[in-house]
Amino acid sequence: MSYKSHSLNLWNPSGTSKLDIDCEDNKIHITTSGGQNIQIDPVLKVGSIDDVEQKFIDTDSAIAAGNAGAAAASALVQQNLDAYVSSNNQSVATLNATVVNNKAITDAGQVQDAQDRAAMNTNLTNLISAEETRATSAEGVLTSNLNTEISDRQSAITAEQTARASDIASVNASIVVQKNRIDDLLNGSTLDLDTLSEIVTTFNNVDSNTLGDISQMKSQLNDLIAKINALTSSSADDVVLSLASVIANLELDSTNSAFLASKFFMNFNMLDQYSNASSGMLGEAVYKSLVIAASSGALTGSSTQAEYEAYLLSVLNATYASTVISGSTLENYKLRYIDPEHYCLETSLPSGSKPYFKGQSQSGLADVEWRLSFCSNAGDKNSIYTTVASGTQQGNTLTIVPNYDNVGIWKVVNGINNAYDGFKSSLLSLTLG
């Protein structure tokens, strides 16, 4: 027996779900909106009203089952969707937190970098300011020392001019005395004794005492003539003796010390500087860089050697204008010392004796056996200010220590930049008369 195919579509009141019922041959196919398929087999035959009612009941059950399946499927889909949304929200929140954290780290790094740059700028500014202050102070000290030295030299020149006038008057008086003595010796002689040779010849047969007196007089007369020539010379340079000559003619007192009796000159090499701190020479390149730095822009690192030497010589000549001897060069810079009464020579010093710098005994330096020192008060060796030369002694020979290239170091009275430094002199040793 065959049946025709029938299809029944049922929609819920909202129009969102449907139920398809297909009757074909001996089977009933029920398809829900959730995709479930229900097959009823065998096909019930409609024989009574009760059978029809039962079919509707069965249909309602099938529809209810279909709706329950659809609801379950919809709930599962919603559950999966909610889980996806929740997981995605968590991923977005995590990513957002990572972005926020990275931005905070970047912002903090930028702030720290700005603080570091500000600190570096502040430190650099402080260093520059400190260096400017130090350089200004050092230049001020150097200028003050130069001004003091110039003032001292000018005062010494004035005093020397006064003393020289007095010495010339004294020498003239001594000349008159010596002339009168010679006239007395020759007065009444029947011989023409107008030369020393004739006097010696005449007295060859006189006893030894008389000859000894004549020899002594001859020596004194020669010394007097030399002093007269020095004091009456028309050239100012000739009036100043070398330090070696002054020391050789110096008479020490019972304490093996004496102040210099005559002004003197010294020669220096001004192209290098002795450093007491390193116990050696700075070297011409280092000394040149110091001069350039102190030149207030007059010299630069690109200045030629000729420009450098011309500048240094002009500064020295301006500083020592009253005492520098004309024709001086940097390698042979010649200065007059016209205040000998301030220079005290001490020899045969006891063990433990030290050189002085600005009134202080230099305990950190080696012992010295002799020293030549500038004293604040003329003629007062208890007012030693700075030892300009010192060293070892063997008999009457005084050797300057330290020494380099066979010449001794002469220390500057007021130091160089407040240090006990100096320059190579023209002497290695001195000999007592």
Side-chain angles (χ1 to χ4, degrees):
M1 180 174 182
S2 62
Y3 300 90
K4 293 182 179 180
S5 175
H6 298 279
S7 177
L8 176 65
N9 296 326
L10 300 179
W11 299 82
N12 64 11
S14 64
T16 58
S17 300
K18 74 175 182 175
L19 181 67
D20 293 334
I21 301 175
D22 294 327
C23 296
E24 184 178 356
D25 294 333
N26 60 344
K27 297 179 182 180
I28 297 174
H29 297 276
I30 301 173
T31 304
T32 68
S33 62
Q36 294 177 325
N37 185 275
I38 300 173
Q39 179 178 306
I40 300 175
D41 187 28
V43 178
L44 294 178
K45 295 180 179 180
V46 179
S48 65
I49 294 302
D50 292 337
D51 291 338
V52 173
E53 182 179 0
Q54 183 62 46
K55 292 182 183 297
F56 277 107
I57 291 172
D58 292 341
T59 300
D60 289 341
S61 296
I63 291 171
N67 288 338
S74 178
L76 179 61
V77 170
Q78 185 63 44
Q79 180 181 356
N80 291 337
L81 179 61
D82 291 344
Y84 170 77
V85 170
S86 177
S87 175
N88 187 66
N89 287 342
Q90 290 179 352
S91 298
V92 171
T94 301
L95 179 60
N96 185 60
T98 302
V99 171
V100 171
N101 184 59
N102 289 340
K103 183 177 185 302
I105 294 174
T106 301
D107 291 345
Q110 291 176 344
V111 171
Q112 184 63 46
D113 185 55
Q115 292 175 346
D116 291 344
R117 286 198 301 271
M120 290 176 62
N121 289 336
T122 300
N123 187 46
L124 181 59
T125 300
N126 291 338
L127 290 175
I128 293 173
S129 177
E131 176 59 19
E132 289 176 347
T133 301
R134 184 205 63 77
T136 300
S137 176
E139 291 173 0
V141 171
L142 180 59
T143 301
S144 177
N145 289 342
L146 292 177
N147 290 338
T148 299
E149 184 70 14
I150 292 172
S151 177
D152 290 345
R153 293 296 181 186
Q154 290 174 340
S155 298
I157 290 174
T158 301
E160 178 61 22
Q161 290 173 341
T162 301
R164 181 179 180 186
S166 176
D167 288 344
I168 292 176
S170 176
V171 169
N172 288 336
S174 297
I175 292 174
V176 173
V177 171
Q178 295 299 328
K179 181 178 181 301
N180 291 336
R181 288 177 179 175
I182 295 173
D183 288 343
D184 289 341
L185 289 173
L186 298 179
N187 188 31
S189 174
T190 58
L191 299 175
D192 185 12
L193 303 178
D194 53 9
T195 67
L196 289 176
S197 176
E198 291 174 349
I199 294 174
V200 173
T201 301
T202 302
F203 285 94
N204 272 336
N205 296 324
V206 183
D207 60 25
S208 59
N209 289 334
T210 303
L211 292 176
D213 291 340
I214 293 174
S215 177
Q216 182 178 4
M217 290 175 60
K218 178 181 178 182
S219 176
Q220 292 175 344
L221 181 60
N222 288 337
D223 290 342
L224 180 61
I225 291 172
K227 291 180 179 179
I228 292 172
N229 289 338
L231 291 173
T232 59
S233 172
S234 60
S235 171
D237 290 352
D238 294 337
V239 177
V240 186
L241 305 176
S242 68
L243 178 62
S245 298
V246 174
I247 297 297
N249 293 317
L250 192 65
E251 295 183 6
L252 304 179
D253 60 21
S254 58
T255 64
N256 293 316
S257 64
F259 279 84
L260 302 190
S262 303
K263 52 188 175 180
F264 58 95
F265 69 82
M266 288 288 296
N267 290 26
F268 303 100
N269 183 336
M270 306 301 286
L271 285 174
D272 199 356
Q273 177 182 324
Y274 171 81
S275 169
N276 184 64
S278 61
S279 300
M281 305 302 295
L282 293 177
E284 292 187 14
V286 175
Y287 180 59
K288 178 180 179 180
S289 67
L290 294 177
V291 173
I292 292 175
S295 69
S296 299
L299 294 174
T300 65
S302 60
S303 298
T304 65
Q305 183 68 18
E307 290 171 338
Y308 161 70
E309 292 187 9
Y311 170 80
L312 180 57
L313 187 60
S314 67
V315 171
L316 290 171
N317 288 341
T319 302
Y320 300 106
S322 60
T323 56
V324 63
I325 298 176
S326 60
S328 293
T329 63
L330 292 176
E331 297 88 345
N332 188 28
Y333 202 72
K334 192 172 184 179
L335 292 176
R336 301 184 187 89
Y337 286 76
I338 57 178
D339 49 356
E341 65 277 5
H342 283 271
Y343 287 86
C344 178
L345 176 67
E346 300 172 283
T347 64
S348 303
L349 291 172
S351 177
S353 298
K354 304 289 185 180
Y356 278 72
F357 178 56
K358 290 190 173 182
Q360 299 296 321
S361 176
Q362 300 299 291
S363 59
L365 300 181
D367 291 354
V368 296
E369 296 174 342
W370 69 274
R371 64 189 173 212
L372 178 63
S373 305
F374 177 88
C375 297
S376 299
N377 301 322
D380 179 11
K381 66 180 181 181
N382 292 322
S383 66
I384 291 179
Y385 184 67
T386 294
T387 299
V388 296
S390 58
T392 59
Q393 177 177 354
Q394 284 188 330
N396 288 339
T397 300
L398 311 177
T399 300
I400 300 176
V401 178
N403 52 68
Y404 294 88
D405 301 329
N406 292 321
V407 292
I409 299 299
W410 183 275
K411 304 294 184 64
V412 180
V413 171
N414 287 309
I416 302 175
N417 291 330
N418 204 36
Y420 188 40
D421 296 345
F423 299 95
K424 292 180 182 178
S425 70
S426 58
L427 298 173
L428 177 61
S429 62
L430 300 165
T431 303
L432 297 172

